[in-house]
Amino acid sequence: MPNLPEIDTQFLLDFLTKLLNTPSPTGLAEPAIALTEQTLEAFPALKLSRTRKGALLATWPGERDDCPRALTAHADTLGAMVKEIKSNGRLKLSQIGGYAWNNIEGEGCTVYTRFGRPLRGSILLTKASAHVYGPEINDTKRSADTLEVRLDARTFTEKETLDLGISVGDFVAFDPRVEINAGFVRSRHLDDKACVAALVAAVKALADAGLKPARTTSLLISNYEEVGHGAAAGIPADVEELLVVDMAAVGEGQASDEFHASLCVKDSGGPYHHGLSDRLRTLAEKHAIPYKVDIYPYYRSDGEAFWSAGGDIAVASSAPV
Ligand SMILES: [Zn+2]
């Protein structure tokens, strides 16, 4: 087999850093979609378009036109919305996507008001001070009722917060805390921006090598994955194979780890397409790509969103870690 084209790692890291620093909770993912679109505009062979839902579709005509393929990754992230402005001027949150409440405790956040500048704040336990509440802090179950946003603004009442321009339904983005250190990239929102960056870097690698895909290939950068229907629409009707590129599920008992690509052959939605998964295993072996095969216990991908919406093609799911 010929060698795979070289990935421009610096380009990948620069784009990934920019993407991670572009807030995009589901429902407000447009800036991240637009950044990806601008970056792909550097490759004129790709035809770029948007779905009516706002996802980005990039189609690259291949050596052959039959049996076109697609890959998808999502640019939206977990986040929140303002559920309620409390009588003490602080904000109660409604989750966007599924995550444990304790994962956002202490995080900095930005509230996007309808008019005017975004406001900054912190997500705190309602009884945050150990000097006041003592052991109650460790005993408190983290939930929508026990966490709140304290704004970087002088407000002690609901009215003062309303006067800041905040209203119910404003989007809240959690700080991405991007750090590149000793070859590792750390950030809250690597899911799934790492995969979007991997796809864009793969396009650049092929283009730099003067190559194009063997078959016409579309990339769908979806914008509603975290709430379950990202790629339900947007895959071109003639596509015959879809590969979902999203995060792995790493933990005790899992085969996946941070140093291998992984191929998810089954998750909460059932098995993926055996023939396509098997072909990906064969390709990884031929090209000496270290990988693991795994089953993700509490996980659904955009491939299942597509299948559930009636998609009638082979779907497989992979992860860069
Ligand atoms: Zn994801």
Side-chain angles (χ1 to χ4, degrees):
M1 292 291 281
N3 287 336
L4 293 172
E6 192 85 11
I7 295 290
D8 182 340
T9 307
Q10 197 53 53
F11 167 84
L12 189 154
L13 291 175
D14 289 346
F15 171 61
L16 177 56
T17 303
K18 271 192 267 176
L19 191 60
L20 288 165
N21 282 316
T22 304
S24 58
T26 309
L28 200 71
E30 172 56 26
I33 294 282
L35 174 67
T36 309
E37 185 174 45
Q38 285 157 21
T39 307
L40 286 174
E41 276 168 3
F43 308 102
L46 276 70
K47 293 178 204 151
L48 304 180
S49 62
R50 295 290 196 98
T51 67
R52 288 190 283 273
K53 201 160 89 177
L56 173 65
L57 184 68
T59 299
W60 195 350
E63 305 280 358
R64 285 169 52 184
D65 229 2
D66 60 318
C67 307
R69 296 165 168 154
L71 298 105
T72 186
H74 63 94
D76 61 311
T77 69
L78 301 171
M81 260 187 177
V82 175
K83 164 70 177 66
E84 181 185 323
I85 299 167
K86 296 164 66 164
S87 58
N88 62 4
R90 298 186 179 194
L91 310 175
K92 191 170 168 177
L93 295 176
S94 172
Q95 289 185 318
I96 295 175
Y99 52 87
W101 282 102
N102 58 288
N103 275 341
I104 60 166
E105 184 178 350
E107 189 59 278
C109 64
T110 304
V111 182
Y112 291 90
T113 58
R114 195 160 162 233
F115 306 106
R117 279 191 311 132
L119 283 154
R120 297 279 299 151
S122 320
I123 299 165
L124 299 173
L125 202 60
T126 48
K127 296 180 176 180
S129 173
H131 305 294
V132 177
Y133 301 104
E136 219 185 315
I137 292 179
N138 282 331
D139 298 340
T140 302
K141 184 173 161 44
R142 274 57 176 167
S143 71
D145 294 325
T146 59
L147 290 174
E148 62 186 5
V149 176
R150 181 187 63 193
L151 295 162
D152 297 351
R154 275 192 168 273
T155 168
F156 296 98
T157 65
E158 181 184 0
K159 182 174 181 315
E160 285 175 307
T161 297
L162 283 168
D163 289 346
L164 292 168
I166 289 180
S167 51
V168 169
D170 286 347
F171 283 93
V172 180
F174 310 140
D175 287 357
R177 286 185 284 108
V178 187
E179 193 174 327
I180 299 178
N181 179 36
F184 291 85
V185 183
R186 184 146 40 80
S187 172
R188 173 176 287 281
H189 296 308
L190 288 170
D191 172 17
D192 188 26
K193 291 178 172 178
C195 297
V196 174
L199 292 185
V200 171
V203 167
K204 183 171 191 296
L206 279 175
D208 286 352
L211 299 169
K212 58 180 174 178
R215 304 227 179 122
T216 294
T217 300
S218 293
L219 309 180
L220 179 73
I221 309 301
S222 74
N223 57 341
Y224 279 91
E225 193 276 345
E226 294 291 3
V227 294
H229 61 80
I235 303 292
D238 59 349
V239 162
E240 298 201 0
E241 292 169 343
L242 171 65
L243 178 61
V244 180
V245 196
D246 207 335
M247 67 168 184
V250 177
E252 212 174 309
Q254 293 297 105
S256 306
D257 65 37
E258 290 84 348
F259 301 96
H260 289 79
S262 51
L263 183 71
C264 172
V265 290
K266 178 181 181 292
D267 62 21
S268 307
Y272 286 93
H273 189 274
H274 178 59
L276 182 54
S277 296
D278 208 47
R279 193 138 47 81
L280 290 164
R281 291 167 79 154
T282 306
L283 278 171
E285 281 151 18
K286 272 187 181 161
H287 291 286
I289 297 169
Y291 78 101
K292 303 272 189 180
V293 174
D294 212 351
I295 291 174
Y296 301 162
Y298 301 100
Y299 189 99
R300 290 183 83 87
S301 80
D302 245 352
E304 272 127 7
F306 175 72
W307 262 347
S308 300
D312 177 23
I313 62 175
V315 177
S317 171
S318 72
V321 298

